[in-house]
Amino acid sequence: MRIILDGMGGDHAPAEIVKGAVEAAALIPHELVLVGKQEAIEEELRKCKYTGDQIKIVNADDVITMEDSPVKAIRRKKEASLVVALNMIKAGEGDLLISGGNTGALVVGSRLLLGRIDGIDRPVLASIYPCLGKEPSLLVDAGASSEAKAHNLLEYGLMGSIFVEKVWGRQNPRVGLVNLGVEETKGTAVTKDAHQKLKVAPLNFVGNVEAREVPKSACDVIVCDGFVGNVILKLSEGLAMNILKVVKNKLMTNIKTKLAAVMLKTQLMELKSDFDYEEYGGAPILGVNGAVIKIHGSSTASAVKNAIIKGIPYGEENVVETIRISMLDLAEIVGETEEIAEE
Amino acid sequence: MRIILDGMGGDHAPAEIVKGAVEAAALIPHELVLVGKQEAIEEELRKCKYTGDQIKIVNADDVITMEDSPVKAIRRKKEASLVVALNMIKAGEGDLLISGGNTGALVVGSRLLLGRIDGIDRPVLASIYPCLGKEPSLLVDAGASSEAKAHNLLEYGLMGSIFVEKVWGRQNPRVGLVNLGVEETKGTAVTKDAHQKLKVAPLNFVGNVEAREVPKSACDVIVCDGFVGNVILKLSEGLAMNILKVVKNKLMTNIKTKLAAVMLKTQLMELKSDFDYEEYGGAPILGVNGAVIKIHGSSTASAVKNAIIKGIPYGEENVVETIRISMLDLAEIVGETEEIAEE
């Protein structure tokens, strides 16, 4: 397979992207294509002392910045690295795209240039939700659309389930709907309706999940609208950082606590790495005709490398085709359920 | 003033409610009325060796349980302690009501029996949001209504601001709207509209607040709909407990870490108490014609005592009347703004 990297996307691009590609190339047999300003990328490759032919460069003179308006940038900056990269996926010249650039542009660009999978109303950005001491969950929607209809939430659950099964290799992933309580009568009109839809869908629906249970790995796929998803992700990050800061201050209180901190060095390092998103790889865009992965704008070479390696099954396992077929199956099930209801 | 306590509301009622009342009575000059089963309450008072006349009992033979449907219970259980207590507030026989019973019944009962303040579309339950190492914030809505219109969010901000100023004694409280980003163009149609309404309202609006900033005391009043409020409260609780559990496990790893834990005893106790909601008192219902405070169902005597003492200004400071006048002022401001917009 051939993996396309947006060489110019991210706070530390192209340096960290190129370094990450070089590190990954040493570990996998696949071809890697860096899309971006040829000279800048060549210079970074020289710095890495890379002389192989597993990494290729495709020149793209323009860059979409974090300040660019997503829709305008995708439409007007035809020579931007992200647009060139997406067009390569569209043309079948690559199997997987990884970018750390403007998130809005990546989501919009994927929708506009790759198009939606047949039967999918709304493609979505997922996110990895770290659960301390346990395997992470996949949260869908991470903020691509602030509002959602019930059938969108159903799609999120179905696509998330397929991704977690095929890419993360978990059998029969547990899909949960974020809601006010576990009872199916709880919530808004939308979440109540979504609950009923998820219940009959061909997936392992474990029912409503209260926000309190989310950090405890209550399910493999966390389904919610983008507003709630944004709140869950940002709040978790802010609160965890705040708690760690307070703990750190308490450890610095006096000689005795400082000594205790030294004695706890290994455990404190473990705790810090438990919060580290980077080792899990990137977050997928789901529902478009292509395998696209978003990495943090601040990704280091190590994060880039992890995203490449962990992302390979997304390009290989034909997730897109499975989603397309599942949507056809779902349409049949929904049709049958409606017929039964009418009888 | 006279403080009414729902003597039967809560997991440890009447024992802990009575004990809390006795503890509070020793510290304040106000009359305390325990509403509930006379014999059970008298027995608890005997256990506390209370012989004064500052605490009175009003008999109520029935109890609303946690399993009762709120609307039905309020309508049918006329002799329940909560219904009797609310009717005393309505009749002017008490200035402040505190209950640890069925939350839904308390919210619905306050709306039905006390009625909304003129100009308020929707009364709401607020909650105290603890910010580690800083003063807590007031979160409105804590889950009373899962959806909200823009004018509801405006009301929440206004009522929360008045409460925090009058009851917590903070001058010019900072009111923030939970949203996807700080820019006023971010969010759903509802949050965008609410932003514009809060901007012209007579309060200290600090703009949109991202969920990441909520735990850092970004504002004194956190405004959001009840679904998002529920997610913020429950997720924070679940995540904090999860982190503390992991920290505890790490401290139990081996002899060295256990020794470090002993050395950190004071700091660990401080950390635990930082998460303790009880010391801040109860959470107000805002927008009804009466001062009503909700305490946790699991409240201990100490939490009951704190809720009484911290709640006194809610009964004394005429918060209800201030909200009523503010809504009149607001109607004028909105009218003027609309006239200017039309010109």
Side-chain angles (χ1 to χ4, degrees):
Chain A
M1 70 181 284
R2 188 193 248 175
I3 300 162
I4 315 280
L5 298 163
D6 174 2
M8 311 309 287
D11 309 340
H12 314 299
E16 295 294 313
I17 310 291
V18 174
K19 250 196 262 178
V22 170
E23 287 178 21
L27 301 168
I28 55 169
H30 309 294
E31 190 180 334
L32 294 160
V33 180
L34 287 159
V35 180
K37 294 187 178 173
Q38 180 133 8
E39 279 183 27
I41 291 172
E42 278 174 354
E43 197 190 318
E44 293 301 331
L45 281 171
R46 269 195 301 276
K47 281 188 199 161
C48 295
K49 300 190 170 55
Y50 181 80
T51 53
D53 60 358
Q54 192 181 348
I55 300 179
K56 305 275 192 303
I57 304 175
V58 166
N59 185 58
D61 281 326
D62 210 349
V63 175
I64 295 178
T65 67
M66 300 311 271
E67 288 70 37
D68 276 328
S69 148
V71 178
K72 275 189 203 161
I74 292 295
R75 291 221 167 109
R76 293 183 192 166
K77 290 189 164 181
K78 303 284 183 201
E79 295 306 315
S81 58
L82 177 60
V83 176
V84 172
L86 280 166
N87 279 324
M88 286 180 72
I89 296 287
K90 190 182 179 183
E93 295 164 10
D95 307 290
L96 172 66
L97 167 61
I98 295 171
S99 173
N102 184 318
T103 308
L106 185 62
V107 173
V108 168
S110 299
R111 286 183 193 174
L112 290 178
L113 300 178
L114 305 180
R116 293 174 295 171
I117 296 174
D118 286 344
I120 292 292
D121 176 46
R122 186 195 281 165
V124 70
L125 177 66
S127 185
I128 295 166
Y129 187 86
C131 300
L132 277 188
K134 292 188 177 167
E135 290 294 298
S137 305
L138 187 76
L139 182 141
V140 202
D141 171 9
S145 309
S146 55
E147 285 164 286
K149 297 203 169 75
H151 72 268
N152 297 131
L153 295 173
L154 169 63
E155 290 174 3
Y156 299 170
L158 202 72
M159 295 192 291
S161 173
I162 291 168
F163 182 88
V164 168
E165 182 151 344
K166 296 222 160 226
V167 181
W168 290 0
R170 285 189 213 168
Q171 291 308 304
N172 213 20
R174 298 159 303 157
V175 177
L177 176 68
V178 178
N179 211 337
L180 298 177
V182 292
E183 305 87 343
E184 57 185 73
T185 53
K186 289 263 174 151
T188 63
V190 169
T191 58
K192 278 184 235 178
D193 189 7
H195 184 106
Q196 296 307 321
K197 287 187 158 63
L198 283 160
K199 224 164 74 171
V200 296
L203 47 77
N204 178 18
F205 182 50
V206 296
N208 293 343
V209 169
E210 287 193 78
R212 186 191 284 124
E213 304 303 320
V214 166
K216 299 172 191 165
S217 188
C219 50
D220 299 297
V221 181
I222 307 163
V223 175
C224 56
D225 68 45
F227 196 99
V228 170
N230 177 283
V231 166
I232 290 177
L233 291 167
K234 300 271 182 76
L235 181 65
S236 299
E237 192 189 322
L239 186 60
M241 291 304 116
N242 210 29
I243 293 175
L244 289 186
K245 202 179 110 190
V246 171
V247 168
K248 203 177 155 192
N249 287 342
K250 293 208 187 291
L251 290 174
M252 292 295 118
T253 311
N254 56 40
I255 301 270
K256 200 165 83 172
T257 62
K258 282 181 191 167
L259 182 59
V262 173
M263 291 163 71
L264 291 170
K265 202 180 165 195
T266 316
Q267 284 71 31
L268 290 170
M269 294 296 283
E270 277 170 17
L271 192 65
K272 205 169 161 238
S273 86
D274 280 348
F275 283 106
D276 192 358
Y277 292 56
E278 292 202 340
E279 64 178 288
Y280 302 121
I285 294 180
L286 297 168
V288 294
N289 288 305
V292 179
I293 282 179
K294 164 85 182 98
I295 53 175
H296 275 235
S298 60
S299 291
T300 60
S302 156
V304 173
K305 180 197 70 184
N306 284 333
I308 294 170
I309 291 167
K310 303 259 179 181
I312 290 172
Y314 193 15
E316 274 179 347
E317 292 289 334
N318 223 345
V319 175
V320 169
E321 181 61 11
T322 311
I323 291 175
R324 201 184 60 78
I325 293 169
S326 289
M327 289 311 294
L328 286 175
D329 290 350
L330 185 68
E332 249 176 52
I333 291 167
V334 171
E336 279 167 19
T337 316
E338 279 169 4
E339 274 168 31
I340 292 164
E342 277 165 22
E343 276 166 14
Chain B
M1 70 181 284
R2 188 194 250 176
I3 300 162
I4 314 281
L5 298 164
D6 174 2
M8 311 309 287
D11 310 338
H12 313 301
E16 295 294 314
I17 311 292
V18 174
K19 248 195 263 178
V22 172
E23 286 178 22
L27 302 166
I28 55 170
H30 309 294
E31 189 181 336
L32 294 161
V33 180
L34 287 159
V35 180
K37 295 187 178 174
Q38 182 134 5
E39 279 183 27
I41 292 172
E42 277 173 355
E43 196 189 319
E44 293 300 332
L45 281 171
R46 270 195 300 275
K47 280 187 199 162
C48 295
K49 301 190 168 53
Y50 181 79
T51 53
D53 60 356
Q54 192 180 349
I55 300 179
K56 304 275 193 300
I57 304 175
V58 166
N59 185 57
D61 281 327
D62 210 349
V63 175
I64 294 177
T65 68
M66 301 311 271
E67 288 70 38
D68 276 328
S69 147
V71 178
K72 276 188 203 164
I74 292 295
R75 292 223 165 108
R76 294 183 192 166
K77 292 190 165 181
K78 302 284 182 202
E79 294 308 315
S81 58
L82 177 60
V83 176
V84 172
L86 280 166
N87 279 325
M88 287 181 72
I89 296 287
K90 190 181 178 184
E93 294 163 11
D95 307 291
L96 173 66
L97 167 61
I98 295 171
S99 173
N102 184 318
T103 307
L106 185 63
V107 173
V108 168
S110 300
R111 285 183 193 174
L112 290 178
L113 300 178
L114 304 181
R116 293 174 295 171
I117 297 174
D118 286 344
I120 292 292
D121 176 45
R122 185 194 283 165
V124 71
L125 177 67
S127 185
I128 295 166
Y129 188 85
C131 300
L132 278 186
K134 293 188 175 165
E135 290 293 298
S137 306
L138 187 76
L139 182 141
V140 202
D141 172 8
S145 310
S146 56
E147 285 164 286
K149 297 206 170 74
H151 72 268
N152 297 130
L153 295 173
L154 169 63
E155 290 174 2
Y156 300 169
L158 202 72
M159 295 192 291
S161 174
I162 291 168
F163 182 88
V164 168
E165 182 150 344
K166 294 224 162 223
V167 181
W168 290 0
R170 284 189 214 170
Q171 290 308 304
N172 213 18
R174 298 159 303 156
V175 177
L177 175 68
V178 178
N179 211 337
L180 298 177
V182 293
E183 306 86 344
E184 57 184 74
T185 54
K186 288 265 174 148
T188 63
V190 169
T191 58
K192 278 184 233 178
D193 188 7
H195 184 106
Q196 296 308 320
K197 286 187 157 64
L198 283 160
K199 225 164 75 171
V200 296
L203 47 78
N204 178 18
F205 183 50
V206 296
N208 293 343
V209 170
E210 288 192 78
R212 187 190 284 124
E213 305 302 321
V214 166
K216 299 173 191 165
S217 188
C219 50
D220 299 296
V221 181
I222 306 163
V223 175
C224 56
D225 68 47
F227 196 100
V228 170
N230 178 283
V231 167
I232 291 176
L233 291 168
K234 299 271 182 76
L235 181 66
S236 299
E237 193 188 321
L239 186 60
M241 290 306 116
N242 210 28
I243 293 175
L244 288 186
K245 201 179 111 190
V246 170
V247 168
K248 204 177 155 193
N249 287 342
K250 291 204 187 294
L251 289 174
M252 292 295 117
T253 310
N254 56 40
I255 302 269
K256 200 165 87 173
T257 62
K258 283 181 191 169
L259 182 60
V262 174
M263 292 163 71
L264 289 171
K265 202 179 164 193
T266 316
Q267 284 71 31
L268 290 170
M269 295 296 284
E270 278 171 17
L271 192 64
K272 207 169 159 240
S273 85
D274 279 348
F275 282 105
D276 191 359
Y277 291 57
E278 292 201 339
E279 65 179 288
Y280 301 122
I285 294 181
L286 297 168
V288 294
N289 288 306
V292 179
I293 282 180
K294 164 85 183 94
I295 54 174
H296 276 237
S298 60
S299 291
T300 60
S302 155
V304 173
K305 179 196 73 184
N306 283 334
I308 294 170
I309 292 168
K310 303 260 178 178
I312 290 171
Y314 192 14
E316 275 180 346
E317 292 289 336
N318 222 344
V319 175
V320 169
E321 181 60 12
T322 310
I323 291 175
R324 202 184 61 78
I325 293 168
S326 289
M327 290 311 293
L328 287 175
D329 290 350
L330 185 69
E332 248 177 52
I333 290 167
V334 171
E336 279 168 18
T337 316
E338 279 170 2
E339 274 169 30
I340 291 165
E342 277 165 21
E343 272 166 15

